Amino acid sequence: MALHEELAILVVDDDPIALKIIDRILTKEGFKIRLAQNGSSALAQIKNGWPDIVLTDLVLDEISGLDILAEVKRRMPETEVVILTGHASVNSTIEAIKAGAFHYLEKPLKPDLLRHTIRQAAEKYSLAARVRNLEIEEEDGSLAIIGKAPALAEVKRLIRYIKESDSNVLITGETGTGKELAARAIHKSSTRRNRKFLAVNCASFTEQLLPNELFGHEREAYTGAASYKAGLLESADGGTVFFDEVGDMPLTMQAKLLRVIQERQFFRVGGTKPISIDTRIIAATNRDLKKLCDAGCFRRDLFFRLNVIGINMPALCEHRDDIPMLISHFLKKVSARAGSRIEKVSREAMQLLKNYGYPGNVRELENIVEHASSMARGRTIEVEDLPPDLTDFHSSTFHQKENELESLEEAEKRYIRWVLEKVGNKKSHAAKILGIDRSSLYRKMKRYELTE
Amino acid sequence: MGPTNLILLIFEQDDYREESLRYSIMLAGRMASTLLVLVLRDHQDKGDDRINRLVSKIPHDGVTIRTEIRCGDKASELLKYVATIPPPTTVVWGSDESVLTSGSEKRTKHWFARFKSEFQCPIVTSKARDLKSDV
């Protein structure tokens, strides 16, 4: 894809012949061109926020090129402006550059110089746009979650909604739906984004090793402990700890974690001095914790403490429309990592990929795309590049709904109740935290029947 | 991926569908999972080794496969077995898929169709597309 493909240029000149010539030269370069023969027409287009680059004659009618430059810099400071003039003067050149013009070209225009200057302006504009996008991504972690379907849009909305909050979050969903990705997005969107995010898989540690991993130990706490070691909670102080597969945490550890959440302190293994921490907890599970609570395998009080905000990651089959977007994303990843040049997927292959059931969800899709990329000979993934089970077998997948999907309303109700409890029912304070005014808060309290 | 990723493939009686096993192996490979193959029978059978022969016939590089044969009431044996393993991330029903997909009585009367809600993970059935069953 050319660097400047799809960039829009507004050309302003009261000389119709000059407009035609410039239009022809720059259209051949691949730019989208609009023309304006006077200042008013140019300003009207600028008000619509249209151009990425403006090429304007200095001398027009009652509105000059410098007026246009000033208006562009006021409305769309990222738009680059190139000034044209048949009357080169040092003063006007300096004035234009000082006012933010990218460059200054003399008439009669030399086509090569015109092309070169516009290409440079395009490059500068595109680079600045990429930096702007990165800055937005830095602050909005939800952008890491790929997908536009309603099921995911709800998740992203909730992540953005809670970004100022410090409450614990419980993320549920099948294996491979992106629970850790969501946890990282929450952390990245939060005020803790510049502190650590540490993850622990509760199923990977035995009942004996998990306390050591979380709380660390004192020197000589046990044989072989030659020095003190900080655990995850201490290392992530000020940041976030992510408990993956929290449903597999042993009951004894659950009790200890509950105490940490309640008291915000803990003891290292073998220690006698309490360690205070300020760590946010995000937990994830693919199990039905309510069922585990009923069966006595998970502490109900811990469940409520973790589930202040609940986010359910939908199975991939619930947002199939995102499959092409996800495939494109994974192809770019593979290309960046392995240098492959796969550009697209054939229609037949895409149909198979869209129809498959994905019991392993997004993670399985990623693996399938990687496999297909390694098999493809050309730049297109064909049917024969897909794993044989997709082509040779017809599989049907039945996804369980582990919990009733909670609506945004229910999540909002629970969150508002929690905030009110936290601030001792002070409405002004609660409204500020929630980012709404007091009357909106009162309306929501009435709607959700959240009494004093 | 942790070591607890399991795919559970369930066969009933002698109804071993080779495509189910092949699919399960490929899925386990993709998901870096161990494949547990469970055969549920009413009674012991001298042909009990068939499943191991079927497994060894199919290439499964990089995939750990464990087989288990249980005899008795199938629903009870399945419950007892599942209690001994970490929760699977996917269950593959390897025998007659119509017990799950058909609109007939089979779906409501078959023991597995009534049991499947006990699992908290996706359940998959797989059959050969057209007549191309040899991979």
Side-chain angles (χ1 to χ4, degrees), chain A residues 174-175 287-288 352 356 359-360 363-364 367-368 387 389-400 402, chain B residues 1 19 23 26-27 30-31 87 89-90 100-101 116 119-129 135:
Chain A
E174 289 177 5
T175 298
R287 306 183 70 182
D288 187 337
L352 283 171
Y356 177 58
R363 190 183 296 145
E364 187 183 2
N367 288 339
I368 289 172
D389 58 296
L390 262 71
T391 54
D392 297 345
F393 305 141
H394 175 81
S395 61
S396 302
T397 304
F398 305 89
H399 291 267
Q400 311 279 12
E402 289 170 1
Chain B
M1 290 235 190
E19 58 266 29
Y23 170 75
M26 285 187 248
L27 181 63
R30 281 203 284 277
M31 301 303 293
T89 52
T90 304
L100 292 175
T101 56
K116 68 181 173 69
F119 290 110
Q120 295 173 30
C121 65
I123 297 179
V124 187
T125 62
S126 189
K127 64 178 182 182
R129 227 185 258 278
V135 179

Side-chain angles (χ1 to χ4, degrees), chain A residues 245 248 286-287, chain B residues 4-7 82 85-90 120-121:
Chain A
E245 300 191 37
D248 292 333
N286 59 7
R287 306 183 70 182
Chain B
T4 54
N5 287 311
L6 295 174
I7 291 172
V82 165
I85 60 169
T89 52
T90 304
Q120 295 173 30
C121 65

Side-chain angles (χ1 to χ4, degrees), chain B residues 5-66:
Chain B
N5 287 311
L6 295 174
I7 291 172
L8 175 60
L9 168 60
I10 303 171
F11 287 122
E12 179 181 39
Q13 297 293 111
D14 290 326
D15 191 5
Y16 302 125
R17 308 271 169 123
E18 187 173 314
E19 58 266 29
S20 300
L21 180 57
R22 288 184 184 275
Y23 170 75
S24 301
I25 288 170
M26 285 187 248
L27 181 63
R30 281 203 284 277
M31 301 303 293
S33 302
T34 296
L35 176 59
L36 304 179
V37 181
L38 175 66
V39 179
L40 296 166
R41 318 175 126 271
D42 291 326
H43 309 287
Q44 201 97 14
D45 191 316
K46 281 188 188 151
D48 267 353
D49 200 42
R50 275 185 54 206
I51 186 62
N52 288 323
R53 278 186 273 127
L54 184 62
V55 167
S56 56
K57 177 183 145 188
I58 297 172
H60 52 270
D61 289 342
V63 176
T64 302
I65 303 179
R66 296 204 291 263

